Amino acid sequence: MKRLCGLFFVCALAAMLRAEPPSSFAIRDARVVTVSGSELAKATVLVKDGMIVDVGPNLAIPADAWVIDGSGLTVYPGFINALSTWGIPEVAPAAGAASRATAAPAATPQPAATPQPRVRGPEDRPQNNSYERAADLVKPTDHRLEGIRAIGFTTSATFPNRGILAGQGALIDLAGDQGADMVVAQPIGEQINLRTGGFRSGFPGSLMGVISYVRQLYLDLDQYQQAKSIYAAHVSGTPRPEYDHYLEGLAEAPRILLPADQAQQIDRMTSFAQELKRPAVLYGMHEAFLRIDALKQANLPLLVNLHWPEKAREADPTDVPSLRELEMRANAPAVPALLTKAGVHFAFYSEGADSAADIRKQLKRAIDGGLPRADAIRALTLSAAEVYGLSDRVGSIDKGKIANLVVTKGEPFEEKTTVEYVFVDGKLFKPSKVPPASPAGERGRN
Amino acid sequence: MRSQALLLLVAVSAIAADHESLLIQNVTIHPVTSAEIKGGSVLIVDGKIAAIGTKLSARGAKVFDGKGLDLYPGLINAGSNVGLSEISSIRDTVDIDEIGVFNPQLKAEVAFNPSSEHVQIVRAAGITTVLSLPSSRGEEFSPASAVDAPILPGQGALMHLNGWTWEEMALKRGAALDMLFPIIPSVPRREQTIGGPPQRTYSELEREYKVKLEQIANFFEDARRYAHAKAAGEPDFQPDPKLEAMIPVIEGRRPILVRAGKERAIRDAIEFAEKEKVRIIIADPHDIGSTAELLAKHGIPVVLGETLTLPLKEDDAYDSQYALPGQLFKAGVKFCFGTFDVEFARNLPFQAAAASAFGLPPQDALKAVTINAAEIFGVADQIGSIEKGKLADLILTDGDPLEATTSIKAEFIVGKPVNLESRHTRLYEKWNARP
Amino acid sequence: MRTLLAFIALTCAAHAESILIRNATLLTVTKGTIQNGSVLIQDGKIAAVGTNLSAPAGATIIDASGKFLSPGLIDCHSHTAVEGSVNEGSLSDSSMVNIADVLDPSDINIYRALAGGLTVSNVLHGSANAIGGQTIVIKLRWGKPAKGLIFEGAKPGIKFALGENPKRQGYPSELFSSPAAQQRRYPGTRLGVEDEIREDFTQAKIYQTRWKLYNEDRAKGVHPIPPRRDLRLEPLVEVLEGKRYVHAHSYRADEILALIRTADDMGFKIRTFQHVLEGYKVAKEIAAHGAGASTFSDWYGYKYEVIDATPYNAAIMTRKGVVVSLNSDSDELQRHLNWDAAKMVRYGGLTPDQALAMVTINPAKQLGIEDKVGSIEIGKSADLVLYDKHPLSNYSKVLKVWIDGHPYFDLDQDLKDRITLADRKKDLIAKEKAEEDTAKKKADTERRAVDKKEGKLPQEGAL
């Protein structure tokens, strides 16, 4: 113990002096949950230059490595939030604001105060940010990052989440000297929102309007690509197709993310995904307990929202919620367990639940709902990487992968558990302490 | 019954020639307050029912042969905007919902338009009297719950649907003081759209509600002081029309028609009435919760709104609104029906019938649209049943007036035969003849 | 949730059995009234109708003595079971949107309507624009997912709207004032509405030609760039090709006639005029065009363009040869269309059969499904309603409703379900409360521990 403290003293001092941070680590004698393979009871993880160099029992430790005594500790792959705005400072709620009460959903575009030109239809591409890349927007200055890392998150599938065609996501690491350092892969998909401004807000002003708009865009994309290839093959005499910024954005995305929370929305988006004929991921899933079989049959990757529906913090005591809502509140946290049992592939995301206390509480509810702990960890790591086809670089502790690691004392997300170290891209972070619960969390006490 | 009729026969012969009299004969009389009389006759003298029986004859009286049809008392719509609102979506034609929170001095009858198309249309459905109210449905059903939303929008008047001027039509002015009891609007559970006004919290809304209740209490306190000062003949007494209009209310002579849609409003209204020692009638309730017994216990009558309306909550039984009148009936609450609108005011009888399909005995459905309304508004000595001495508000039908398949064949208001034509029938006749 | 209960009930019910409903007064609508009649249901269809039917082996027998059986009621104008706004009101022509995309099978109003004997609804887009969205006919198969609601083989439609509603956004009233609403859009008059529809169909024809030429070029082996598929114009092309019905919201005689002439000129048909409160003034022209009229029973007076509304409208149109139905346009009114039909006996003296036809076979005809539903006839779907009294009586009550021979509403079952629902809610609320209390207790203990540690708690007995 003493040696460890000494080490850390040096380490911290080195950082303070802005000397080269250490680039080689060995976590020794720790329990290692690789996720991809079997759990190692006592093993060493070797990290060098941002990568996992090796993992296994009885590894030789290179001379230049900083050694961490992992006895009594467990090493996990860094946790991945499978859909968030983490890392985009512009959409982060103001520091100190109650994260869930006011922030969700983040990045909601506000109606413009001054009249905008009237939208004439899908061809005007309203609420369309298909080309906007999270990769260009992420910055290490997002004040949420420190707290998130402190509970073991190293990675996020981050999306700009503005408008209906809500932009291109990037898989990012949650630390870096500048934005570009954070990007692991991009683009990873186009997020689609089915939000509208309501009646009289301009096209699309209804859910059906949004759906028809998205449908038209993808038909336009097909025609655009067809036109471009015909043009390429027969340049002479063929009219040149007009460049479409918005369609280029859609064309880039390897997959689309469609929102589906309630049962009828799950049905609707399952068929919509089939109709659009491109790889799709459904996100939401709070009423998926009514559609487990259908989801298994549909075989689409799913993102389960950890922000479980719950009683409104301040409700009229005479308003009795509907049975449907009560069922949702009672059964949503059991969705991960039901999906696991049915063998349906899913990962977690934390819509607006940014504080450690929140995420811990929500995950615990999933586990209480019957989700085996190992499956919870998988949904937070490898499964999330698989949804985006990036399990070759993140999501498990394997040789050659990015060194995103979390070292805990105790089972993750248990109250008494402490996160001892977090490695992002091979860089060590020592959470000073878990940041205080958000005001929203505090209010529950009174 | 029969012996009574025979007695009346004697009375009849004494009609003086200078009295206007009409004998309706050969009808089945449904007096509402007593058993039906087959082959009956009703004698009307000077607009009043002078005799009822089976073998009436009257020299000098005009005779109207009812040809075996049914005779009922005219129906009463105990909550409407008839006469005050013509085309509800065109504000220029609408005279309800005055600006201001407390306007107890406003009187519905003074703006009652005798030429309104609705007068003819509504009476053609067998409705001879309406309570015209100076405001639309309560806050419960309006989108805004503004701070300056009306609370006391004015006095309702019972109006006969026949006459040359509103003065002739007014049966009872100031029949009730209309009151839109404040509510705590429900906070929508899910944000459906982008933007919109920020959601207010329940505690904010509850605070506003309490402020409004306090405002009401203060207004009543002012009224009481005013009445006291006036009675005492205080030298610096200054008349105030608003407070003046409150005197009959605080003295219990004029009831307050409290629009209270939900349980909280009903409970709080009852508490308010107890505290202020005023008479109230609950109007247009739709979610009474467990207040039926409470209403019965306090003897508070109710004017029910539309029976044919949707349940308020997703989990409510599909027939929760249909069954509401039956529920009140079983609890022993006295009630009548209104429609609280104009365009559907004529469908009042069908509201009562639907209630009957779902638990209200048919005879009590009929009472609810006749005698109960009269009793609740203190005019049972004049209308609401076919009884000697009452005004001759009568309808002649080919069946149960609560059935839509029944036709209203003739109608009398204060003894005068009423023309059953309306804009609707005139258009029918005109265009049916288009070649 | 009621959907869940319904779902369980459905899956438990034996599949497609035989049912014999006996001794009822059968209101067949098309073949008169049969006293002490029986209906045999087999494989979801009406297999036999008569007075002396015997039950096949294993059939469920329902004794309906003293009761009345009618075909399932049909509403030619509904907005039930739609998620989100029923209006894509932002454009003058929003024909790219489709109600079928947003069906919500969990809308409780489906069940409530079933409980009033409704079995089929024409679910329409709203009336905010000259050409609204695509529409769909559904059966009220409560408990089935959205796909299970769709009426197989019923032609889809498109909503048009004339008059005040579509022109309102040309001159938005202060009622809806917002920066966005201040953006006026064409049309703002009935003249413009007429023009808008002509313009849209002109574009549709150009679009139709463009694709024709493209396909011809391709056949010739040329490599043209395909035209852009336009989801706005495609449904209009379908209208021109007779593959999609037009349901036109309308009130005044002038606009009705103008649309008939536009349709004549452009070469398409109006299937139904909806509301059509002045239809009686141009009944002759409506009949000649072959359009149906789907009207209200007795709505009037709620806006200026209905100034000449009269409840005798349906009677006049019927006498002048128009197929007339009564619609609800309302989650509430759809629960008792039979009572609206009853008013037709009062207003215009139609017979009870004529009145009942207006909520059964006539709307079926208007929707082109009269070979499948709308009357009690052999071979039609067993969509049936059992009442305790004649359905035109305002005292009548629905006891049972079958769709395709399956019971979808049963009053006795409903009464049981209420108890189940209440119990389940009580349990869930109690469970939630218990969890809350535990969490609170735990938080309190923790806080006390912290406070004690930090010396904030007064000493025992110091109070």
Side-chain angles (χ1 to χ4, degrees):
Chain A
M1 255 318 166
K2 235 175 199 170
R3 192 187 54 168
L4 190 73
C5 292
L7 247 179
F8 258 90
F9 178 68
V10 178
C11 177
L13 194 67
M16 277 167 64
L17 296 172
R18 297 192 176 274
E20 269 307 292
S23 67
S24 180
F25 295 93
I27 309 165
R28 202 173 61 181
D29 297 339
R31 172 177 164 244
V32 179
V33 177
T34 63
V35 178
S36 54
S38 53
E39 189 180 308
L40 308 170
K42 192 176 178 187
T44 300
V45 182
L46 291 181
V47 171
K48 190 176 168 64
D49 295 335
M51 268 190 303
I52 298 165
V53 179
D54 209 349
V55 56
N58 310 315
L59 296 182
I61 296 174
D64 65 338
W66 292 62
V67 178
I68 294 171
D69 180 5
S71 43
L73 306 181
T74 310
V75 188
Y76 297 91
F79 301 134
I80 304 172
N81 189 344
L83 175 61
S84 83
T85 57
W86 288 355
I88 303 180
E90 286 75 16
V91 300
S99 63
R100 292 180 47 187
T102 56
T108 323
Q110 296 301 310
T114 50
Q116 301 284 304
R118 169 167 282 284
V119 174
R120 291 159 302 173
E123 48 281 8
D124 281 347
R125 310 289 189 240
Q127 300 268 6
N128 193 323
N129 300 298
S130 65
Y131 50 85
E132 193 166 65
R133 296 181 174 134
D136 297 335
L137 301 172
V138 293
K139 289 193 185 80
T141 52
D142 183 343
H143 66 79
R144 293 173 293 183
L145 298 186
E146 191 192 345
I148 291 157
R149 281 194 308 258
I151 52 168
F153 280 89
T154 62
T155 311
S156 164
T158 289
F159 287 76
N161 196 13
R162 286 203 313 126
I164 293 167
L165 282 302
Q168 306 275 358
L171 192 79
I172 62 161
D173 278 341
L174 298 173
D177 291 334
Q178 51 186 357
D181 298 345
M182 297 163 75
V183 178
V184 175
Q186 89 84 37
I188 58 170
E190 178 80 32
Q191 185 180 3
I192 295 175
N193 282 313
L194 300 181
R195 293 194 290 252
T196 75
F199 189 51
R200 282 165 210 278
S201 68
F203 181 84
S206 63
L207 178 61
M208 61 188 162
V210 179
I211 291 174
S212 70
Y213 173 41
V214 174
R215 177 180 287 133
Q216 180 71 64
L217 282 171
Y218 281 97
L219 285 175
D220 286 354
L221 176 58
D222 286 348
Q223 192 255 6
Y224 184 63
Q225 288 174 326
Q226 217 180 335
K228 284 211 292 189
S229 71
I230 291 172
Y231 181 67
H234 311 274
V235 172
S236 173
T238 307
R240 170 168 49 90
E242 197 181 324
Y243 171 78
D244 190 325
H245 185 39
Y246 302 93
L247 298 180
E248 293 287 347
L250 292 186
E252 278 175 21
R255 62 184 60 74
I256 52 175
L257 278 66
L258 298 168
D261 207 26
Q262 297 180 326
Q264 81 279 3
Q265 295 165 343
I266 292 170
D267 296 340
R268 185 181 298 141
M269 285 302 112
T270 303
S271 29
F272 197 46
Q274 280 162 1
E275 183 197 324
L276 294 178
K277 293 194 188 66
R278 54 199 75 228
V281 176
L282 304 188
Y283 67 95
M285 296 296 131
H286 281 166
E287 217 176 25
F289 55 91
L290 295 178
R291 289 293 188 275
I292 297 294
D293 291 343
L295 285 168
K296 188 171 168 61
Q297 216 175 340
N299 196 28
L300 293 169
L302 307 177
L303 304 182
V304 177
N305 183 357
L306 271 173
H307 186 170
W308 309 121
E310 56 185 17
K311 197 167 160 180
R313 198 163 282 124
E314 226 204 333
D316 185 337
T318 64
D319 272 353
V320 179
S322 69
L323 179 57
R324 183 177 193 177
E325 192 178 326
L326 289 168
E327 293 282 9
M328 274 251 259
R329 286 191 211 160
N331 295 321
V335 163
L338 293 168
L339 291 174
T340 302
K341 216 168 143 196
V344 182
H345 193 201
F346 73 95
F348 281 126
Y349 75 102
S350 70
E351 183 176 283
D354 294 343
S355 82
D358 265 356
I359 293 180
R360 183 164 59 208
K361 193 175 90 187
Q362 310 296 359
L363 272 167
K364 180 147 193 322
R365 290 195 66 197
I367 289 165
D368 292 346
L371 179 68
R373 198 174 290 275
D375 293 297
I377 297 293
R378 197 184 199 285
L380 280 168
T381 55
L382 194 55
S383 293
E386 284 166 354
V387 166
Y388 295 103
L390 296 169
S391 56
D392 56 348
R393 60 202 84 175
V394 291
S396 63
I397 304 180
D398 284 303
K399 198 168 158 177
K401 284 200 172 180
I402 294 169
N404 288 341
L405 301 168
V406 51
V407 184
T408 67
K409 187 187 276 178
E411 297 290 347
F413 306 112
E414 286 297 323
E415 247 165 88
K416 294 201 173 107
T417 296
T418 52
V419 172
E420 300 289 316
Y421 313 105
V422 176
F423 289 88
V424 181
D425 246 339
K427 289 191 190 69
L428 176 64
F429 293 86
K430 169 91 170 93
S432 48
K433 62 169 185 171
V434 171
S438 66
E442 297 236 290
R443 208 176 300 172
R445 285 173 158 203
N446 302 327
Chain B
M1 190 70 336
R2 186 156 297 175
S3 60
Q4 194 188 2
L6 288 172
L7 278 173
L8 290 169
L9 196 65
V10 183
V12 167
S13 49
I15 298 169
D18 58 336
H19 289 280
E20 207 177 304
S21 61
L22 174 72
L23 182 70
I24 302 170
Q25 63 182 28
N26 190 19
V27 292
T28 302
I29 303 170
H30 303 265
V32 175
T33 44
S34 56
E36 65 171 50
I37 304 163
K38 288 214 165 72
S41 307
V42 172
L43 180 68
I44 303 166
V45 179
D46 290 340
K48 285 192 176 165
I49 297 165
I52 304 162
T54 46
K55 287 175 185 148
L56 297 186
S57 69
R59 264 186 309 273
K62 273 190 228 158
V63 175
F64 186 99
D65 186 2
K67 294 173 187 149
L69 295 171
D70 295 287
L71 191 73
Y72 288 88
L75 310 181
I76 303 166
N77 185 330
S80 80
N81 303 121
V82 173
L84 298 175
S85 173
E86 196 65 21
I87 300 174
S88 50
S89 67
I90 302 178
R91 185 65 222 176
D92 290 356
T93 71
V94 176
D95 285 300
I96 55 173
D97 299 328
E98 185 51 271
I99 297 154
V101 180
F102 297 106
N103 276 321
Q105 77 286 9
L106 301 183
K107 299 177 292 288
E109 69 274 13
V110 302
F112 189 98
N113 176 8
S115 304
S116 165
E117 301 287 357
H118 299 287
V119 169
Q120 293 183 327
I121 289 164
V122 172
R123 74 184 182 194
I127 297 163
T128 51
T129 308
V130 296
L131 178 68
S132 268
L133 294 167
S135 79
S136 51
R137 305 187 76 176
E139 211 184 334
E140 200 90 63
F141 299 95
S142 71
S145 74
V147 186
D148 57 354
I151 291 174
L152 298 178
Q155 304 162 26
L158 277 169
M159 305 296 290
H160 263 138
L161 294 183
N162 193 31
W164 295 97
T165 67
W166 60 257
E167 268 182 321
E168 288 178 19
M169 297 170 87
L171 172 69
K172 185 171 186 178
R173 304 188 193 187
L177 176 63
D178 203 355
M179 179 180 201
L180 307 175
F181 206 79
I183 58 151
I184 304 181
S186 27
V187 183
R189 225 162 264 282
R190 268 162 194 276
E191 189 78 30
Q192 296 280 0
T193 57
I194 300 168
Q199 269 187 24
R200 290 187 300 162
T201 62
Y202 173 73
S203 49
E204 275 167 23
L205 296 167
E206 193 190 27
R207 234 180 349 260
E208 279 171 25
Y209 175 70
K210 296 221 162 114
V211 167
K212 283 189 187 176
L213 294 188
E214 212 170 17
Q215 257 184 299
I216 296 170
N218 292 342
F219 188 76
F220 275 77
E221 181 56 33
D222 285 351
R224 219 167 272 116
R225 286 205 187 125
Y226 177 88
H228 191 260
K230 188 184 178 190
E234 284 176 14
D236 59 343
F237 173 78
Q238 286 183 2
D240 177 326
K242 277 187 205 286
L243 298 176
E244 188 68 36
M246 290 299 289
I247 293 177
V249 177
I250 55 174
E251 289 178 352
R253 287 180 282 123
R254 177 178 299 151
I256 307 175
L257 187 75
V258 185
R259 318 271 191 116
K262 293 187 184 175
E263 180 168 9
R264 170 167 35 222
I266 296 169
R267 285 187 187 281
D268 289 357
I270 293 172
E271 200 185 305
F272 150 82
E274 290 280 288
K275 204 178 113 232
E276 302 290 349
K277 298 189 176 52
V278 289
R279 257 195 319 134
I280 61 165
I281 300 163
I282 294 292
D284 208 9
H286 288 280
D287 179 8
I288 66 162
S290 53
T291 57
E293 283 70 27
L294 193 68
L295 288 165
K297 194 182 111 195
H298 286 82
I300 294 172
V302 172
V303 181
L304 286 167
E306 291 173 306
T307 307
L308 297 176
T309 188
L310 283 171
L312 294 190
K313 292 185 294 247
E314 180 177 341
D315 292 338
D316 287 351
Y318 81 93
D319 63 356
S320 58
Q321 298 298 316
Y322 303 160
L324 179 60
Q327 201 184 328
L328 287 178
F329 175 76
K330 280 183 200 94
V333 177
K334 175 163 273 183
F335 60 87
C336 58
F337 284 96
T339 53
F340 299 97
D341 68 357
V342 186
E343 303 95 338
F344 296 102
R346 67 170 160 194
N347 286 343
L348 173 90
F350 315 141
Q351 307 283 353
S356 182
F358 289 83
L360 179 65
Q363 190 54 34
D364 293 288
L366 181 62
K367 279 185 181 167
V369 291
T370 54
I371 189 67
N372 286 6
E375 286 172 358
I376 289 169
F377 290 96
V379 287
D381 57 332
Q382 299 182 75
I383 59 169
S385 61
I386 304 180
E387 288 180 76
K388 192 187 165 191
K390 286 199 179 184
L391 298 177
D393 289 357
L394 302 167
I395 57 174
L396 205 57
T397 69
D398 59 1
D400 183 344
L402 306 195
E403 288 274 26
T405 49
T406 298
S407 293
I408 313 299
K409 300 290 188 184
E411 186 167 321
F412 304 87
I413 295 179
V414 198
K416 289 200 178 65
V418 166
N419 183 349
L420 293 179
E421 281 179 10
S422 68
R423 181 181 187 86
H424 293 175
T425 60
R426 287 189 290 274
L427 285 163
Y428 174 48
E429 271 144 35
K430 176 178 170 183
W431 288 91
N432 206 26
R434 183 191 162 197
Chain C
M1 180 184 9
R2 276 167 193 275
T3 7
L4 193 63
L5 296 174
F7 182 71
I8 293 163
L10 279 179
T11 43
C12 291
H15 190 69
E17 43 165 357
S18 298
I19 303 169
L20 183 70
I21 304 167
R22 270 206 312 223
N23 298 327
T25 302
L26 304 183
L27 306 166
T28 68
V29 178
T30 47
K31 314 252 174 190
T33 300
I34 302 172
Q35 303 294 342
N36 292 314
S38 302
V39 172
L40 178 66
I41 302 171
Q42 268 175 333
D43 298 327
K45 295 253 158 55
I46 296 170
V49 181
T51 45
N52 265 321
L53 300 183
S54 52
T60 308
I61 295 171
I62 292 165
D63 180 43
S65 307
K67 299 184 176 116
F68 291 76
L69 193 73
S70 84
L73 307 188
I74 300 173
D75 185 0
C76 198
H77 191 127
S78 166
H79 301 296
T80 298
V82 175
E83 187 161 344
S85 173
V86 300
N87 270 303
E88 177 54 58
S90 59
L91 309 172
S92 304
D93 169 8
S94 66
S95 44
M96 74 288 276
V97 308
N98 193 339
I99 290 288
D101 281 336
V102 290
L103 281 180
D104 180 1
S106 63
D107 183 352
I108 187 65
N109 289 310
I110 298 173
Y111 181 78
R112 291 170 178 165
L114 257 176
L118 193 73
T119 54
V120 173
S121 280
N122 187 26
V123 188
L124 297 177
H125 181 277
S127 53
N129 33 15
I131 299 188
Q134 300 164 53
T135 67
I136 186 136
V137 183
I138 63 166
K139 281 205 172 187
L140 305 192
R141 298 189 188 99
W142 176 245
K144 294 270 169 83
K147 274 181 189 157
L149 298 184
I150 291 166
F151 192 124
E152 309 82 355
K155 205 179 269 190
I158 188 162
K159 177 78 174 287
F160 284 14
L162 311 176
E164 291 180 11
N165 294 13
K167 67 181 198 145
R168 193 167 293 141
Q169 286 188 60
Y171 289 94
S173 70
E174 58 195 3
L175 202 65
F176 300 109
S177 67
S178 73
Q182 293 314 314
Q183 302 179 54
R184 289 167 54 169
R185 74 150 157 75
Y186 187 87
T189 64
R190 284 187 172 78
L191 293 68
V193 172
E194 193 258 12
D195 169 63
E196 173 72 36
I197 294 170
R198 274 180 194 270
E199 167 65 23
D200 292 330
F201 274 92
T202 306
Q203 287 175 21
K205 288 186 165 192
I206 294 169
Y207 179 72
Q208 202 178 16
T209 311
R210 193 179 297 149
W211 273 97
K212 196 169 147 263
L213 292 177
Y214 166 73
N215 286 324
E216 282 168 11
D217 279 356
R218 261 174 59 112
K220 277 186 253 165
V222 193
H223 302 280
I225 290 178
R228 168 180 181 260
R229 275 190 63 190
D230 191 328
L231 293 178
R232 181 175 70 90
L233 296 175
E234 281 182 7
L236 302 186
V237 171
E238 288 170 356
V239 168
L240 289 167
E241 291 172 348
K243 295 174 185 160
R244 185 174 286 281
Y245 289 148
V246 174
H247 301 292
H249 161 114
S250 53
Y251 288 103
R252 267 183 18 196
D254 49 272
E255 65 196 21
I256 294 164
L257 187 57
L259 183 60
I260 289 174
R261 295 303 166 240
T262 301
D264 290 346
D265 291 350
M266 289 289 166
F268 67 91
K269 289 280 176 202
I270 306 300
R271 185 68 184 187
T272 67
F273 282 98
Q274 297 285 329
H275 310 327
V276 59
L277 294 188
E278 283 190 17
Y280 65 93
K281 295 182 180 176
V282 282
K284 201 162 77 172
E285 287 78 4
I286 294 172
H289 183 76
S294 168
T295 187
F296 291 132
S297 58
D298 60 350
W299 290 34
Y300 79 103
Y302 49 98
K303 54 175 167 174
Y304 188 73
E305 65 185 346
V306 302
I307 189 82
D308 273 3
T310 166
Y312 298 87
N313 184 30
I316 302 179
M317 289 195 290
T318 300
R319 295 205 178 101
K320 303 214 172 197
V322 181
V323 174
V324 181
S325 70
L326 298 177
N327 70 48
S328 81
D329 192 12
S330 146
D331 286 342
E332 206 294 308
L333 214 160
Q334 64 176 352
R335 310 200 294 155
H336 40 82
L337 279 174
N338 50 316
W339 290 338
D340 260 27
K343 292 172 188 164
M344 296 302 104
V345 178
R346 173 180 286 193
Y347 300 118
L350 296 181
T351 65
D353 270 356
Q354 278 177 313
L356 208 51
M358 287 187 180
V359 293
T360 54
I361 192 69
N362 289 4
K365 285 177 186 166
Q366 293 174 343
L367 296 170
I369 50 176
E370 74 274 25
D371 56 332
K372 300 184 179 76
V373 292
S375 63
I376 302 182
E377 284 181 79
I378 293 170
K380 287 200 177 182
S381 297
D383 293 7
L384 298 164
V385 187
L386 189 68
Y387 303 85
D388 62 347
K389 298 188 180 73
H390 193 293
L392 294 185
S393 165
N394 290 70
Y395 297 100
S396 66
K397 187 169 173 173
V398 172
L399 304 174
K400 267 178 197 286
V401 180
W402 292 266
I403 297 177
D404 306 322
H406 287 286
Y408 275 87
F409 173 78
D410 181 313
L411 186 56
D412 295 333
Q413 187 59 46
D414 181 87
L415 296 172
K416 285 180 205 152
D417 287 350
R418 291 179 197 189
I419 297 164
T420 317
L421 185 144
D423 288 350
R424 176 77 180 144
K425 278 183 89 159
K426 214 185 284 166
D427 286 354
L428 287 171
I429 290 168
K431 208 176 128 213
E432 220 172 46
K433 178 86 181 19
E435 278 166 16
E436 229 169 74
D437 290 349
T438 314
K440 206 171 158 199
K441 208 178 276 171
K442 199 170 147 228
D444 281 351
T445 318
E446 273 165 24
R447 195 180 47 202
R448 223 169 287 137
V450 171
D451 288 352
K452 208 171 188 177
K453 211 161 131 195
E454 294 174 3
K456 280 186 199 157
L457 268 190
Q459 291 301 308
E460 218 63 53
L463 285 171

